[in-house]
Amino acid sequence: MARKNGIPPQLVRLVLVTLAIIALYFTARYFMTPETFGQFGFYRGASLNEHATRPLSFAGKESCRNCHEEALQLVSQFEHKTLSCETCHGPAMSHVIDPETPLVKIEDGSCLRCHRSDPSRPSWLAQISLDDHYESDSCTDCHTPHQPNE
Amino acid sequence: MITTRVIAVRIVIPPTNRTNKVKSSITRRKLISLTGKALAGFVSLATARKAKGAVRKFMVKTPAPKGYDPTKHKWLMAFDIEQCIGCGMCVQACELENKVPPGPTYFRTWIERYVIKRRKPGSSRARGETQVDSPSGGINGFPPTSVPREEILKSFYVPKLCNLCVDSPCVQACPVGATFDAPDGVVLVDPNYCIGCGFCIQACPYGCRFMHPETGTAEKCTLCYHRITRSLLPACVEVCPTEARIFGDLKNPVDDDPLMQFIEKNKVQTLKPHLGTSPRVLYAGMDKEVR
């Protein structure tokens, strides 16, 4: 056993140990690397799908169209045509799934969030200063949000 | 030479001593059995993981988009500063859609108000100092500015989010490969592999990332990945009342693509181009003060 083919036994042992370590490394790597790692790059490909399957809160304008076609038609003829329904009415996914679920109630004065006079706002936007605007309890006494220019 | 010396040492140690010494530590038998156990552990772990995956696939119904191929899209967002009215609906929508933790410092998107003052009389500069503020990211809109109207030269709002860099410093900084550039142009974080070291948060020159206080992992804008993969607009774009946020797919432009038209009509810039991050998010109507 001492000197087969002239290779010293301790060298043989060293080589065997090294090979065993390398084999262990590859075995560990094989089992520890996530399944989809490297599918698109140096990351777990399944992560993309995990991000994509998260639940929705906002349903999108097209979902509203399924039932409220008329309201959408009306809004599209006036200045608020660029608004999405959910801009004012809030996230509607739960309402789309179950129409009985009410939407967020729009409070008085929420118009001011966009229309209060502000020097930082672009001049094309209709803005009011509460001091010199007609006095009334509610914006909707005079204005219709779906037809703002009327 | 070395060989003979080692052999000599072996001869010197009496056999009885040697066994005594070895008995107290690891024997060959013990080592082999340990290695075997470790291997068995790996194998059973992998089987368990595979079984878990199979069960999950079978049990959990995902409304995941079937047939969404990330390599066939390239998403991009652009901003028209002239259109932004600073209502903050986008910030609010982002929080509702993505369950962004409450608090004044956690945002995936936010709005900054720039107020550029008039120059002081006799000053050699064309404009005075710039004041930037973003109370709670603009989630509840903006209160009137503290600068009196007559001192304002001009003022505007700048919406911000992840700049979707081509050479993302955050991706380069991540030591575990948990954050990455997806093939469709979105920079994402894999929360299962993020170790919460926070290097990416320091690396982002735009301040677009934060540490989630509950999960302890890095979070950022995902461009509403769960929405865009289902052909919906990101929540912020959906609710923007003035079309100040323009969103599109560079690889699949639709007829009269709003993004393409926006790029065609406007002179667009990116934020901090001198840093070499090659940001992809475009801004039109941006003043030199915007950083």
Side-chain angles (χ1 to χ4, degrees):
Chain A
M1 179 66 196
R3 273 191 177 225
K4 245 184 215 170
N5 313 323
I7 303 169
Q10 61 269 48
L11 203 63
V12 174
R13 255 177 256 144
L14 201 65
V15 169
L16 283 177
V17 167
T18 314
L19 284 178
I21 289 171
I22 292 172
L24 197 69
Y25 166 72
F26 278 104
T27 327
R29 204 176 89 135
Y30 175 77
F31 287 112
M32 287 167 107
T33 308
E35 229 171 284
T36 51
F37 193 88
Q39 189 185 353
F40 301 111
F42 196 75
Y43 55 91
R44 210 164 50 92
S47 173
L48 289 180
N49 203 41
E50 283 161 24
H51 276 285
T53 47
R54 285 179 27 239
L56 298 159
S57 297
F58 286 85
K61 213 172 182 173
E62 291 312 305
S63 308
C64 308
R65 199 181 293 281
N66 291 335
C67 305
H68 305 286
E69 172 76 44
E70 277 171 38
L72 269 136
Q73 281 262 322
L74 185 67
V75 175
S76 69
Q77 295 162 25
F78 297 95
E79 274 299 294
H80 277 168
K81 58 176 178 263
T82 54
L83 271 74
S84 168
C85 310
E86 290 166 306
T87 308
C88 305
H89 293 285
M93 199 61 208
S94 47
H95 175 75
V96 169
I97 293 165
D98 174 20
E100 296 295 310
T101 318
L103 289 166
V104 185
K105 198 173 172 292
I106 303 171
E107 286 166 34
D108 261 350
S110 36
C111 307
L112 287 171
R113 186 161 176 168
C114 295
H115 292 291
R116 182 191 278 125
S117 168
D118 178 350
S120 308
R121 290 198 163 132
S123 50
W124 58 260
L125 180 75
Q127 299 167 56
I128 60 144
S129 170
L130 279 180
D131 303 330
D132 55 13
H133 201 73
Y134 301 113
E135 270 183 39
S136 177
D137 291 341
S138 167
C139 307
T140 46
D141 286 353
C142 306
H143 305 279
T144 322
H146 285 183
Q147 303 151 270
N149 340 29
E150 285 288 288
Chain B
M1 225 12 226
I2 299 159
T3 336
T4 39
R5 202 190 292 164
V6 173
I7 288 167
V9 170
R10 272 180 74 176
I11 293 161
V12 166
I13 297 168
T16 41
N17 270 359
R18 193 167 161 263
T19 34
N20 285 346
K21 254 186 191 170
V22 171
K23 240 180 195 170
S24 62
S25 64
I26 293 169
T27 58
R28 184 180 297 174
R29 179 186 294 269
K30 221 173 174 180
L31 185 73
I32 290 171
S33 87
L34 266 177
T35 321
K37 274 176 196 165
L39 273 175
F42 280 134
V43 173
S44 54
L45 258 180
T47 342
R49 191 188 291 144
K50 281 212 174 92
K52 198 172 134 201
V55 168
R56 195 181 286 166
K57 223 180 223 173
F58 187 70
M59 298 289 283
V60 182
K61 268 188 212 159
T62 52
K66 288 239 166 66
Y68 176 80
D69 185 353
T71 57
K72 292 196 174 125
H73 300 269
K74 205 75 172 177
W75 304 105
L76 183 62
M77 201 182 291
F79 294 99
D80 194 345
I81 292 178
E82 297 288 320
Q83 294 291 320
C84 182
I85 60 169
C87 61
M89 296 308 294
C90 48
V91 187
Q92 198 178 42
C94 180
E95 189 179 277
L96 291 168
E97 180 73 39
N98 296 304
K99 317 277 179 297
V100 177
T105 53
Y106 303 116
F107 310 108
R108 289 180 172 210
T109 184
W110 70 100
I111 302 178
E112 288 171 5
R113 172 165 61 190
Y114 281 72
V115 180
I116 301 165
K117 292 183 186 168
R118 289 185 189 282
R119 70 193 195 112
K120 291 204 175 87
S123 158
S124 58
R125 291 173 177 243
R127 31 175 126 193
E129 61 176 23
T130 309
Q131 201 176 306
V132 187
D133 68 337
S134 182
S136 298
I139 194 161
N140 299 313
F142 282 78
T145 175
S146 57
V147 184
R149 257 183 205 230
E150 58 278 6
E151 277 182 37
I152 300 172
L153 178 66
K154 56 173 158 181
S155 179
F156 47 87
Y157 292 105
V158 181
K160 293 209 170 160
L161 49 57
C162 169
N163 278 265
L164 310 173
C165 304
V166 177
D167 302 311
S168 328
C170 53
V171 172
Q172 290 165 40
C174 181
V176 294
T179 184
F180 51 91
D181 290 304
D184 40 12
V186 188
V187 181
L188 293 172
V189 181
D190 183 347
N192 292 356
Y193 279 74
C194 176
I195 56 171
C197 67
F199 284 152
C200 56
I201 296 165
Q202 289 191 328
C204 178
Y206 306 100
C208 295
R209 288 168 168 258
F210 61 89
M211 189 68 75
H212 195 290
E214 279 159 28
T215 60
T217 57
E219 280 242 356
K220 68 179 287 297
C221 166
T222 59
L223 270 187
C224 282
Y225 203 73
H226 56 303
R227 298 179 61 82
I228 58 176
T229 50
R230 292 173 175 128
S231 313
L232 290 166
L233 289 169
C236 56
V237 182
E238 176 70 38
V239 302
C240 180
T242 59
E243 295 176 336
R245 289 169 179 258
I246 301 110
F247 184 75
D249 185 354
L250 295 176
K251 282 194 182 171
N252 307 291
V254 292
D255 294 338
D256 298 331
D257 196 83
L259 182 64
M260 288 302 172
Q261 282 187 353
F262 172 78
I263 297 168
E264 206 178 310
K265 277 186 201 152
N266 293 287
K267 292 175 178 60
V268 288
Q269 305 175 55
T270 55
L271 292 178
K272 301 183 187 177
H274 57 282
L275 293 179
T277 54
S278 316
R280 289 170 57 240
V281 169
L282 300 171
Y283 285 84
M286 192 161 76
D287 223 321
K288 81 174 177 61
E289 273 76 11
V290 181
R291 291 283 175 272

